[in-house]
């Protein structure tokens, strides 16, 4: 327990006050004893500053209402303390663990990711963040397609995520489990251009080196799976060059802090502790101004643990906090700090800052040309199954159509020649009428080629069904006409030469026409019955899915 006496020069007034700065070990008994000893044996304290360990801080924060004390923490990030019904006198200058969730939502919207999955370690801290994230994403048109959790072995959960085609994974786990997760991701090939991992960004520098020996995968495989992950955490110091309430810029403060720290270990909470001192100073300043304006006889030195009026004044004054500090704009919303969240990306074995989210303005800023995805574009949030109509190749159709036209021109020339010379002896002996039927049948068959090449890319669905019937009739009639005429002529030759008595036998063309007509009549009866009983209809046939190599799309 550290008792600090602070002298502040505020608007030319020297105000001396006493407050308690509590830096507890994570020992409930020692922490509570230190707190209650300070209350019982020490002077009247105006506020409680501190509280790092969640277990101790939550117990003290819950009891502060009875002591009429406002507590301000600079390092307790547990989401549990955000419950204002349970902890009405608790404030913190550091954003809670849940503060990253609106930032994640903004990032998902920025890249138009509408389908995600979560992977959470079975620890209360991570489960609370995951549950809050579910509430944040609810109603934002973002689907949590799979929610997986694990205790020690994440491989089964990672495999389930892959089975559910989850491409954007929101993870909540510590460094030790992160190594195991990325090892499993490597084994399942859940990394690279098709996947994006978003995990906590508060891990220590080179965090994987401490845990790589406990995993089953090689260092190069782990780094390959980790490449490109995005970390999310609160910003320790503001990146803006504005002067803060102290007159220093965040950079100037950091330099002064490092100079005075020397070789001592740095804490990422030092900026929040510094801004916390200013929050208390400004709170007491507002409280004094209010008392001077409303009650000339009462001062903040009159505060005691039963003076609820002064306690309420302190509480209201702290709620009105709004200034620019070394950690950014210091504003409370229901006791929670509206801070700045930073995004980092793992690139070539180091963390690179790629953007930040301002909770006060609800804005996301992606730093130009810093974020690098493994592919040419951000990963898709799912496998896109795009139905593509199998079409007849237009060049092939054009070539066949050209050849068909040549065939029809030749057939027309033969038909013209046959009609023009029908009275010549040789042509007349070959049965010109039957020849004409063969040519006409061939031309009808040629015409069906044009109709068979007209698929769904050229005509509508309704027209396509009609076209199916028409081309079937044309091809059938054309083939039967041509084949029937040739068959009739062949039959006549057979009938003449089969005459063993060699008697003169004449089979006129009219009889051959009757044979062809009979064949056509049979075809027409079949076609009419087919059309009446079971007409041709358009159906869609599904083929096996194929992966498009140029994009994350599967064509069917």
């Amino acid at each position: 327990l550290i008792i600090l006496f602070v002298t502040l020069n505020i608007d030319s007034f020297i105000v001396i006050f006493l407050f308690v700065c509590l830096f507890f070990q994570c020992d409930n008994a020692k922490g509570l004893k230190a707190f209650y000893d300070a209350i019982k044996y020490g002077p009247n304290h105006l506020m409680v500053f501190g509280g790092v360990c969640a277990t101790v801080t939550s117990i003290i924060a819950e009891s502060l209402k009875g002591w009429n004390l406002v507590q301000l923490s600079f390092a307790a990030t547990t989401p549990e303390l955000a419950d204002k019904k349970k902890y009405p006198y608790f404030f913190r200058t550091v954003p809670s663990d849940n503060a990253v969730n609106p930032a994640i939502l903004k990032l998902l919207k920025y890249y138009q990711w509408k389908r995600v999955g979560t992977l959470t370690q079975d620890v209360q801290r991570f489960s609370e963040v995951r549950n809050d994230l579910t509430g944040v994403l609810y109603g934002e048109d973002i689907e949590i397609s799979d929610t997986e959790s694990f205790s020690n072995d994440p491989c089964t959960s990672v495999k389930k995520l892959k089975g559910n085609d989850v491409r954007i994974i929101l993870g909540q786990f510590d460094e030790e489990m992160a190594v195991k997760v990325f090892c499993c991701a490597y084994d399942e090939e859940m990394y690279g251009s098709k996947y994006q991992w978003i995990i906590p960004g508060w891990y220590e520098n080179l965090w994987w080196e401490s845990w790589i020996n406990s995993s089953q995968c090689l260092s190069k495989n782990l780094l390959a799976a980790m490449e490109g992950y995005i970390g999310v955490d609160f910003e320790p110091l503001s990146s803006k060059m504005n002067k803060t309430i102290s007159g220093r810029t965040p950079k100037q403060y950091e330099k002064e802090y490092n100079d005075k720290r020397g070789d001592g270990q740095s804490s990422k909470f030092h900026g929040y502790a510094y801004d916390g001192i200013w929050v208390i100073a400004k709170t007491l300043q507002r409280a004094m101004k209010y008392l001077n304006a409303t009650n000339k006889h009462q001062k903040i030195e009159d505060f005691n643990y039963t003076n609820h009026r002064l306690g309420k004044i302190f509480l209201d004054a702290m709620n009105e906090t709004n200034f620019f500090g070394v950690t950014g704009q210091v504003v409370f919303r229901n006791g929670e700090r509206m801070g700045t969240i930073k995004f980092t990306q793992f690139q070539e074995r180091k963390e690179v800052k790629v953007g930040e989210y301002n909770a006060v303005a609800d804005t996301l800023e992606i730093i130009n040309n810093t974020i690098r995805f493994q592919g040419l574009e951000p990963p898709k949030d799912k496998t896109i199954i795009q139905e593509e109509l199998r079409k007849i190749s237009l060049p092939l159709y054009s070539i066949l159509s050209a050849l068909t036209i040549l065939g029809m021109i030749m057939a027309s020339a033969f038909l013209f020649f046959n009609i023009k010379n029908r009275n010549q002896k040789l042509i007349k002996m070959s049965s010109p009428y039957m020849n004409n039927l063969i040519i006409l049948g061939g031309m009808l068959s040629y015409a069906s080629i044009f109709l068979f090449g007209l698929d769904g890319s050229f005509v509508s669905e309704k027209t396509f069904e009609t076209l199916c019937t028409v081309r079937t009739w044309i091809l059938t009639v054309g083939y039967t006409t041509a084949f029937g005429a040739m068959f009739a002529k062949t039959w006549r030759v057979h009938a003449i030469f089969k005459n063993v008595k060699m008697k003169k036998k004449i089979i006129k063309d009219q009889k051959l026409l009757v044979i062809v007509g009979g064949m056509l009549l049979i075809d027409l009866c079949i076609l009419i019955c087919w059309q009446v009983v079971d007409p041709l209809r358009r159906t869609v046939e599904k083929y096996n899915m194929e992966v498009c190599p140029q994009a994350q799309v599967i064509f069917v």
Side-chain angles (χ1 to χ4, degrees):
L1 180 66
I2 302 175
I3 307 295
L4 296 182
F5 294 86
V6 179
T7 302
L8 295 180
N9 190 330
I10 303 175
D11 295 339
S12 301
F13 290 97
I14 302 297
V15 181
I16 301 177
F17 64 94
L18 181 69
F19 69 96
V20 183
C21 185
L22 301 173
F23 295 89
F24 295 133
Q25 298 177 350
C26 290
D27 187 315
N28 291 359
K30 291 181 179 179
L32 290 174
K33 184 178 186 304
F35 173 72
Y36 288 121
D37 285 348
I39 295 294
K40 184 176 180 180
Y41 301 112
N44 285 339
H45 306 295
L46 301 179
M47 294 181 187
V48 178
F49 180 55
V52 177
C53 187
T55 55
V56 179
T57 304
S58 59
I59 295 173
I60 293 176
E62 190 174 3
S63 65
L64 288 178
K65 187 176 181 180
W67 297 102
N68 200 30
L69 281 171
V70 174
Q71 180 179 3
L72 179 68
S73 174
F74 59 86
T77 61
T78 177
E80 179 190 1
L81 294 168
D83 186 354
K84 297 310 292 182
K85 291 182 178 179
K86 194 173 182 180
Y87 311 104
Y89 281 71
F90 179 81
F91 293 79
R92 50 184 160 192
T93 54
V94 63
S96 78
D97 292 335
N98 285 346
V100 302
N101 290 334
I104 292 174
L105 170 63
K106 211 71 175 179
L107 183 71
L108 296 177
K109 287 186 174 182
Y110 183 85
Y111 288 109
Q112 299 180 355
W113 289 326
K114 296 185 177 181
R115 185 175 182 271
V116 300
T118 62
L119 181 63
T120 310
Q121 183 180 352
D122 279 336
V123 175
Q124 183 180 2
R125 174 185 182 182
F126 301 125
S127 299
E128 288 177 349
V129 177
R130 190 267 318 277
N131 294 338
D132 181 75
L133 177 63
T134 302
V136 169
L137 298 184
Y138 180 78
E140 295 290 343
D141 195 27
I142 296 178
E143 173 195 358
I144 301 180
S145 58
D146 192 12
T147 300
E148 296 293 335
S149 59
F150 65 93
S151 297
N152 188 50
D153 183 11
C155 289
T156 302
S157 298
V158 171
K159 194 171 184 178
K160 287 181 180 179
L161 289 172
K162 183 179 181 180
N164 288 324
D165 192 34
V166 175
R167 300 298 186 89
I168 311 301
I169 304 101
L170 309 180
Q172 283 292 332
F173 33 75
D174 59 26
E175 296 102 318
E176 181 183 5
M177 290 298 111
V179 170
K180 294 183 179 181
V181 166
F182 283 112
C183 284
C184 297
Y186 182 84
D187 293 338
E188 296 294 333
E189 297 183 347
M190 288 185 65
Y191 64 96
S193 60
K194 295 182 180 181
Y195 295 91
Q196 182 60 61
W197 289 83
I198 302 175
I199 65 174
W202 43 260
Y203 300 163
E204 295 292 335
N205 191 32
L206 303 177
W207 54 269
W208 64 92
E209 294 183 352
S210 303
W211 303 101
I212 184 64
N213 294 330
S214 63
S215 65
Q216 299 294 325
C217 62
L218 300 175
S219 178
K220 65 176 183 178
N221 296 343
L222 175 64
L223 292 172
M226 290 166 54
E227 185 67 23
Y229 79 69
I230 294 176
V232 190
D233 191 21
F234 60 81
E235 185 76 274
L237 290 175
S238 174
S239 59
K240 299 185 182 301
M241 301 305 295
N242 302 1
K243 282 191 174 183
T244 67
I245 191 172
S246 66
R248 305 176 181 86
T249 65
K251 282 288 184 185
Q252 291 171 337
Y253 160 79
E254 185 178 24
K255 182 179 182 303
E256 185 175 348
Y257 169 78
N258 289 330
D259 290 342
K260 293 184 177 181
R261 177 173 60 88
D263 296 331
Q265 186 177 0
S266 175
S267 168
K268 69 176 183 178
F269 297 107
H270 65 84
Y272 293 98
Y274 182 79
D275 281 346
I277 297 294
W278 279 99
V279 169
I280 292 176
K282 296 297 288 183
T283 297
L284 293 174
Q285 182 189 46
R286 282 189 294 272
M288 287 188 295
K289 285 184 177 180
Y290 179 81
L291 290 174
N292 290 336
T294 58
N295 191 340
K296 301 293 184 180
H297 303 291
Q298 192 169 28
K299 300 180 181 180
I300 61 171
E301 290 88 341
D302 299 332
F303 174 81
N304 58 57
Y305 302 136
T306 59
N307 191 333
H308 293 285
R309 182 176 180 275
L310 270 177
K312 183 66 166 56
I313 291 173
F314 291 161
L315 188 66
D316 293 340
M318 187 164 286
N319 269 315
E320 295 171 5
T321 299
N322 191 346
F323 64 83
F324 184 74
V326 296
T327 59
Q329 197 69 26
V330 182
V331 180
F332 295 118
R333 182 178 297 169
N334 293 326
E336 292 295 292
R337 169 71 186 276
M338 306 299 293
T340 302
I341 305 299
K342 69 173 180 177
F343 292 94
T344 58
Q345 188 178 40
F346 188 75
Q347 300 176 2
E348 299 176 356
R349 299 175 64 99
K350 62 181 179 180
E351 300 276 353
V352 177
K353 183 178 177 180
V354 295
E356 66 178 30
Y357 168 76
N358 188 321
V360 178
D362 191 29
T363 56
L364 173 66
E365 178 185 358
I366 299 296
I367 302 173
N368 293 333
N369 302 321
T370 54
I371 192 163
R372 299 193 315 212
F373 294 106
Q374 304 298 295
L376 299 177
E377 59 182 356
K380 303 295 183 184
D381 57 10
K382 61 181 177 181
T383 300
I384 300 174
I385 301 177
Q386 180 177 320
E387 291 192 354
E388 186 178 74
L389 183 66
R390 290 283 179 92
K391 300 180 292 186
I392 293 175
S393 171
L394 185 59
L396 178 62
Y397 179 59
S398 301
I399 293 171
L400 290 176
S401 297
L403 293 175
T404 300
I405 292 172
L406 289 177
M408 294 186 75
I409 291 173
M410 290 177 60
S412 300
F414 292 148
L415 182 62
F416 175 76
F417 177 83
N418 202 56
I419 294 174
K420 184 178 180 180
N421 300 290
R422 65 184 179 277
N423 292 322
Q424 291 188 15
K425 185 178 180 181
L426 292 176
I427 300 298
K428 195 171 185 179
M429 288 178 63
S430 67
S431 300
Y433 293 111
M434 302 309 294
N435 293 340
N436 292 342
L437 285 178
I438 293 173
I439 294 172
L440 289 173
M443 293 180 71
L444 284 174
S445 299
Y446 275 131
S448 68
I449 294 176
F450 294 112
L451 301 180
F452 274 100
L454 296 175
D455 58 10
S457 60
F458 295 103
V459 296
S460 64
E461 294 182 11
K462 187 175 182 180
T463 305
F464 186 77
E465 288 190 358
T466 304
L467 198 63
C468 282
T469 303
V470 172
R471 69 191 185 187
T472 302
W473 280 59
I474 290 178
L475 179 61
T476 303
V477 171
Y479 177 80
T480 300
T481 301
F483 175 79
M486 286 189 292
F487 175 80
K489 289 180 65 175
T490 304
W491 172 81
R492 181 168 60 181
V493 172
H494 170 74
I496 292 173
F497 284 95
K498 188 180 177 183
N499 183 9
V500 294
K501 296 180 180 181
M502 298 300 291
K503 291 182 179 181
K504 186 177 181 181
K505 188 174 183 179
I506 300 175
I507 302 176
K508 295 184 177 181
D509 286 350
Q510 288 83 352
K511 190 171 184 179
L512 300 182
L513 290 174
V514 171
I515 294 174
V516 175
M519 290 183 176
L520 286 173
L521 184 62
I522 293 172
D523 274 352
L524 289 174
C525 290
I526 294 174
L527 288 172
I528 292 172
C529 293
W530 185 4
Q531 185 66 26
V532 173
V533 177
D534 186 19
L536 291 172
R537 301 186 186 280
R538 178 183 181 272
T539 59
V540 178
E541 183 177 351
K542 299 286 186 178
Y543 291 90
N544 294 331
M545 292 190 292
E546 301 175 2
V547 178
C548 176
Q550 288 79 23
Q552 302 172 50
V553 178
I554 291 181
F555 291 107
V556 296

